[in-house]
Amino acid sequence: MNKKSSRVCGYPLSIFFIVVNEFCERFSYYGMRAVLVLYFKYFLRWDDDLATSIYHTFVALCYLTPILGAIVADSWLGKFKTIIYLSIVYAIGQVAMAVSAIHDITDTDRDGTPDNMTFHVVLSMVGLFLIALGTGGIKPCVAAFGGDQFSDHQDRQRRTFFSVFYLCINGGSLLSTIITPILRAQDCGIHSQQKCYSLAFGVPAALMLVALVVFIVGSGMYYKAEPQGNIMLDVCKCIGFAIKNRYRHRSNQYPKRQHWMDWAEEKYDKLLIAQIKMVLKVLFLYIPLPMFWTLFDQKGSRWTLQATTMNGYFGSLVIQPDQMQTVNPILILTLVPIMDSVIYPLINKCGLNFTPLKRMTVGMLLAAIAFVCAALVQIEIDKTLPTFPSTSQSQLKLLNMGSETVTIKMPGNDPLNLTAAQVSGQINISVGHPEVRNTISLAKGQRQTLLIPLTITDEWLMTDDITSKPQEGNNAIRFVNGMKTAVNVSIPAANFGLIEPFSYSNYSLIKNGKVTFTLWSGSQSCEYSTDFGFGSSYTFFIPSTLVFGPNCQESITAAEDIKPNSVHMALQIPQYFFITAGEVMFSVTGLEFSYSQAPSNMKAVLQAGWLFTVAIGNFIVLIVAELAKLPKQWAEYVLFASLLVAVCFIFSIMAYFYTYIDPAEIEAQFKKNVNEDDEDNKHKLQKTERFYRKLFSGGTLKQYTA
Ligand SMILES: CC(C)C[C@H](N)C(=O)N1CCC[C@H]1C(=O)O
């Protein structure tokens, strides 16, 4: 088929269908992924560890299956058919997920919970497997198929296409990560109303069907390169033969060959050998690249955890810690056009030849700078964190539940006067110190509160207090009842239960924002409202003197056990900016580079090689997080930044020796010679070989201009 099909502004019309397909597919993938862990935890009722492991296994699988899709496309079905077939598999997987999340299917007793959990687990696992096969399988094909739509001389347009392609990835993911959590939060069901996971998976399934339909609609306009036989098998056999032949001729009596693949010349086509050399050259260059993704992927883990220790109030807007991750796609949508239309042309105007490999090197350095920023933010956060007792220390707080002032004398501390309903600050006491009388027992490494009763001679009560920041930016809240009657405390999201006289409740986790507590004692009630930030802990004391009425705002004492997060989440923006600017330079360029440097019959395979670096990067995060247990988080960030700088240095040396090629030109030379008559052919073949050898010994073949 002719590549010169309908064009708009010099761009093939067919790419419109490809980018819309990518937008819908990424919406489908990232939308489903956004609610997956919650589905495992709250619908399938798995514990955190199992949910996290299955989630990461799924993500890793999604970046491993591209190899399979690429082999099928380049060797057998061609990219077009592979995309169609695997998209169908993908859509079936998404539908299976949506069906698996309908609780009514097995809820025979109609209590709102599935009665046959095995059915839901099996169906969702089958669904996830099909999705991983589909999303991974089509990913290298769609990018390469888009690249195929351009003629050889359209380098500039093809580069723009890869930028727009990246914009679609991030536009789709941004929209879906906002929408699917909202869908999940809705209530739905036939017999009973439950959180609507089926809708949260159903909409991504619908979008995948839209992606498929859009792709099929464009069918008549595509340029469809035919696969050239089982190329991957030929490649493996050719490499195997070259290695064997080299080994057979290892003695010095045989003249050396310029490249070890030249040992396959006795049996294999010179064109195939040339193509394998092109692929190996690029794959070799990819070896250091996973380190970039190792840093990049920590946005979703370490950086989100960092955000949980920060303050997310942006005026009236409240940003939850995990929502900070959307800064990445938002910045992609702004930085890609800026880079393409301002920064790169400006660099070009300054006479600098900003080649793809130079861009990727700068991208890596920017990612390292992002981690230095993360370390600086961490140092600021650490300054505001409470000091918890060491393993040889205890911290004690005193709460006077009585109505009269008491004076407490502690060994090694000045006498302390506590008025009625007053809570002291933390007092550090060395446990095991001979002066400490055994009237109260202090636990090592613990924070405790001593509740001094109404009548001082009554039994004194010790509570165990929280010794770490509450998870996920929540606030840990508890109540101490100083009244002579039991009190029930509740809020819409939690019930503290009935608190007996002179007793206390367990901690409950509460989200940020204004909360109104309702206190009940018999038929009497009153309300108490307060505002919570992120990551604080409070003990609320209900005094014996409390009078129930419309509100009990003035009577309740709040003791701050842990201060709310004070370092603002906006401080994470510089690190997000640098990692995203790095991503634009590294990833958008890498995508185009992988296409332009691949031989025509292995375009999808090199795209899969590129995606494989993402998968390896993910694995390194898991390994390094386990091994490098540094005591300080900021030190771990600095370690990662240094590792990336070291890797970047190695990569820049490798890049320096890389010669850009024009695979189409090389292939054309080889093919042309095959068609000439014998004598001429021999002469031309020698000429091509000289030309080709020059390429692999470092001669510049393709003058790259940004
Ligand atoms: C994590 C973001 C939602 C998406 C990210 N900016 C991105 O575009 N990618 C991360 C891995 C490669 C690429 C993708 O294809 O999704």
Side-chain angles (χ1 to χ4, degrees):
M1 193 182 159
N2 184 8
K3 280 197 183 188
K4 287 190 188 101
S5 54
S6 327
R7 281 169 194 273
V8 180
C9 306
Y11 289 86
L13 189 59
S14 53
I15 58 160
F16 168 79
F17 298 92
I18 296 172
V19 294
V20 173
N21 165 278
E22 184 66 11
F23 177 90
C24 298
E25 187 278 321
R26 286 289 95 182
F27 182 110
S28 181
Y29 173 72
Y30 280 112
M32 183 274 306
R33 228 178 80 165
V35 292
L36 194 57
V37 174
L38 297 180
Y39 167 77
F40 289 155
K41 203 172 157 180
Y42 298 112
F43 189 96
L44 298 184
R45 292 169 197 272
W46 287 353
D47 62 28
D48 283 7
D49 287 345
L50 183 62
T52 317
S53 324
I54 299 292
Y55 173 81
H56 283 294
T57 311
F58 167 70
V59 174
L61 203 62
C62 291
Y63 284 102
L64 288 176
T65 45
I67 300 188
L68 215 68
I71 292 175
V72 171
D74 280 347
S75 310
W76 179 31
L77 291 178
K79 295 175 201 98
F80 177 74
K81 282 189 188 154
T82 309
I83 295 170
I84 302 268
Y85 294 153
L86 286 180
S87 294
I88 295 171
V89 171
Y90 188 169
I92 295 173
Q94 290 281 34
V95 171
M97 281 305 285
V99 174
S100 79
I102 304 175
H103 64 273
D104 287 303
I105 296 180
T106 64
D107 186 11
T108 37
D109 58 6
R110 300 186 177 187
D111 67 347
T113 52
D115 296 330
N116 182 358
M117 204 52 107
T118 317
F119 167 82
H120 296 275
V121 171
V122 170
L123 192 60
S124 57
M125 290 305 104
V126 170
L128 284 182
F129 179 75
L130 295 180
I131 293 169
L133 203 65
T135 186
I138 65 171
K139 203 157 165 49
C141 304
V142 178
F145 191 64
D148 283 352
Q149 306 308 310
F150 294 87
S151 310
D152 295 337
H153 64 274
Q154 288 189 298
D155 282 2
R156 190 184 55 80
Q157 283 92 336
R158 202 177 48 222
R159 273 205 293 277
T160 309
F161 159 75
F162 279 109
S163 294
V164 174
F165 188 77
Y166 217 79
L167 286 179
C168 288
I169 294 177
N170 286 275
S173 71
L174 176 64
L175 260 188
S176 66
T177 38
I178 294 171
I179 293 173
T180 50
I182 297 175
L183 298 177
R184 179 199 78 88
Q186 309 304 310
D187 288 329
C188 64
I190 303 164
H191 305 307
S192 64
Q193 299 285 302
Q194 296 297 324
K195 291 282 162 251
C196 209
Y197 288 97
S198 49
L199 188 63
F201 290 139
V203 171
L207 258 288
M208 193 51 223
L209 287 170
V210 174
L212 180 60
V213 170
V214 169
F215 189 71
I216 293 172
V217 169
S219 177
M221 281 172 237
Y222 300 132
Y223 164 74
K224 298 170 194 155
E226 283 302 314
Q228 294 159 23
N230 199 345
I231 185 75
M232 286 323 289
L233 191 68
D234 291 346
V235 168
C236 294
K237 281 187 186 163
C238 183
I239 293 176
F241 180 79
I243 296 170
K244 256 195 282 167
N245 205 24
R246 172 74 191 89
Y247 185 73
R248 262 193 242 124
H249 300 91
R250 60 188 178 281
S251 122
N252 282 344
Q253 71 186 88
Y254 300 106
K256 286 216 160 61
R257 297 189 187 179
Q258 201 166 25
H259 193 285
W260 63 270
M261 269 310 298
D262 293 334
W263 288 96
E265 274 173 357
E266 279 89 335
K267 195 168 164 191
Y268 286 91
D269 186 21
K270 285 198 163 55
L271 175 60
L272 178 69
I273 297 174
Q275 288 170 327
I276 296 176
K277 284 183 192 175
M278 292 180 212
V279 170
L280 291 180
K281 229 161 77 94
V282 178
L283 288 182
F284 177 68
L285 204 59
Y286 282 174
I287 294 173
L289 302 190
M291 199 61 209
F292 173 88
W293 297 113
T294 302
L295 270 74
F296 181 84
D297 281 319
Q298 295 192 36
K299 278 187 302 85
S301 48
R302 289 278 194 264
W303 285 16
T304 305
L305 289 178
Q306 184 182 61
T308 64
T309 58
M310 301 175 86
N311 173 8
Y313 279 101
F314 286 73
S316 55
L317 191 74
V318 182
I319 301 289
Q320 297 299 331
D322 46 352
Q323 285 176 330
M324 267 312 273
Q325 288 181 58
T326 54
V327 172
N328 169 255
I330 293 172
L331 281 175
I332 288 275
L333 295 180
T334 41
L335 284 179
V336 169
I338 293 176
M339 291 280 190
D340 278 357
S341 54
V342 183
I343 309 289
Y344 292 150
L346 217 65
I347 295 176
N348 216 14
K349 272 216 174 92
C350 296
L352 293 170
N353 190 11
F354 203 27
T355 60
L357 295 179
K358 283 186 193 159
R359 285 183 198 182
M360 288 166 73
T361 312
V362 174
M364 287 167 119
L365 287 177
L366 289 175
I369 294 176
F371 266 62
V372 173
C373 293
L376 293 176
V377 170
Q378 192 60 48
I379 291 170
E380 278 311 300
I381 294 171
D382 288 351
K383 284 185 200 161
T384 65
L385 291 179
T387 32
F388 293 109
S390 67
T391 45
S392 64
Q393 275 195 323
S394 281
Q395 285 180 345
L396 184 68
K397 246 181 171 181
L398 307 166
L399 198 168
N400 178 9
M401 303 212 283
S403 47
E404 282 166 22
T405 302
V406 288
T407 303
I408 296 115
K409 286 186 185 153
M410 295 258 202
N413 287 282
D414 291 336
L416 194 70
N417 289 323
L418 281 183
T419 55
Q422 195 191 355
V423 189
S424 74
Q426 297 290 355
I427 303 166
N428 289 330
I429 294 169
S430 290
V431 178
H433 197 278
E435 284 125 311
V436 175
R437 295 226 194 109
N438 217 11
T439 44
I440 51 166
S441 76
L442 299 168
K444 284 183 186 179
Q446 289 296 317
R447 275 185 160 192
Q448 289 165 295
T449 299
L450 177 61
L451 305 178
I452 304 162
L454 200 55
T455 314
I456 208 94
T457 47
D458 285 353
E459 195 190 337
W460 290 29
L461 215 59
M462 285 281 253
T463 69
D464 283 336
D465 304 352
I466 192 163
T467 47
S468 60
K469 272 257 179 199
Q471 301 264 301
E472 297 173 26
N474 287 316
N475 301 284
I477 306 301
R478 66 176 175 177
F479 278 82
V480 172
N481 181 11
M483 297 186 70
K484 288 182 180 159
T485 51
V487 177
N488 193 312
V489 181
S490 67
I491 53 166
N495 190 351
F496 293 80
L498 196 66
I499 312 167
E500 295 298 329
F502 305 116
S503 177
Y504 57 95
S505 70
N506 288 330
Y507 282 105
S508 287
L509 291 180
I510 289 178
K511 288 242 167 270
N512 62 286
K514 190 177 168 120
V515 178
T516 301
F517 298 95
T518 309
L519 282 70
W520 293 88
S521 181
S523 58
Q524 294 178 302
S525 72
C526 73
E527 287 192 340
Y528 174 78
S529 300
T530 187
D531 259 315
F532 291 104
F534 290 85
S536 69
S537 175
Y538 287 92
T539 298
F540 291 105
F541 175 59
I542 308 165
S544 58
T545 49
L546 182 103
V547 182
F548 283 92
N551 79 64
C552 33
Q553 206 63 33
E554 305 305 320
S555 321
I556 290 178
T557 317
E560 190 181 73
D561 298 337
I562 295 177
K563 280 188 177 13
N565 303 342
S566 56
V567 177
H568 202 272
M569 261 186 221
L571 283 189
Q572 277 199 325
I573 290 176
Q575 67 204 57
Y576 271 99
F577 173 81
F578 282 114
I579 200 99
T580 312
E583 183 191 353
V584 174
M585 291 206 166
F586 180 85
S587 187
V588 182
T589 312
L591 205 63
E592 203 273 330
F593 176 80
S594 307
Y595 182 86
S596 68
Q597 298 299 292
S600 59
N601 52 357
M602 284 182 251
K603 297 275 184 202
V605 168
L606 259 197
Q607 286 295 326
W610 170 254
L611 293 169
F612 191 63
T613 65
V614 184
I616 300 292
N618 267 288
F619 280 121
I620 300 178
V621 183
L622 294 177
I623 296 166
V624 177
E626 274 306 306
L627 295 182
K629 290 231 185 302
L630 294 180
K632 292 279 175 203
Q633 184 55 57
W634 67 263
E636 195 183 293
Y637 289 141
V638 173
L639 172 75
F640 275 115
S642 320
L643 281 175
L644 189 60
V645 170
V647 163
C648 180
F649 179 67
I650 297 169
F651 178 71
S652 61
I653 295 173
M654 291 163 81
Y656 180 78
F657 290 104
Y658 183 84
T659 314
Y660 292 94
I661 54 162
D662 186 346
E665 198 182 319
I666 296 169
E667 286 166 357
Q669 293 275 356
F670 274 98
K671 281 175 191 159
K672 207 166 129 203
N673 291 334
V674 173
N675 297 331
E676 304 281 341
D677 60 47
D678 267 4
E679 199 42 42
D680 201 24
N681 189 13
K682 210 169 148 192
H683 172 72
K684 285 208 170 154
L685 198 63
Q686 281 164 358
K687 210 174 129 202
T688 306
E689 274 182 60
R690 277 204 301 277
F691 162 84
Y692 191 66
R693 281 186 200 289
K694 196 174 144 219
L695 156 72
F696 283 105
S697 60
T700 307
L701 236 170
K702 186 174 180 183
Q703 191 59 40
Y704 183 89
T705 39

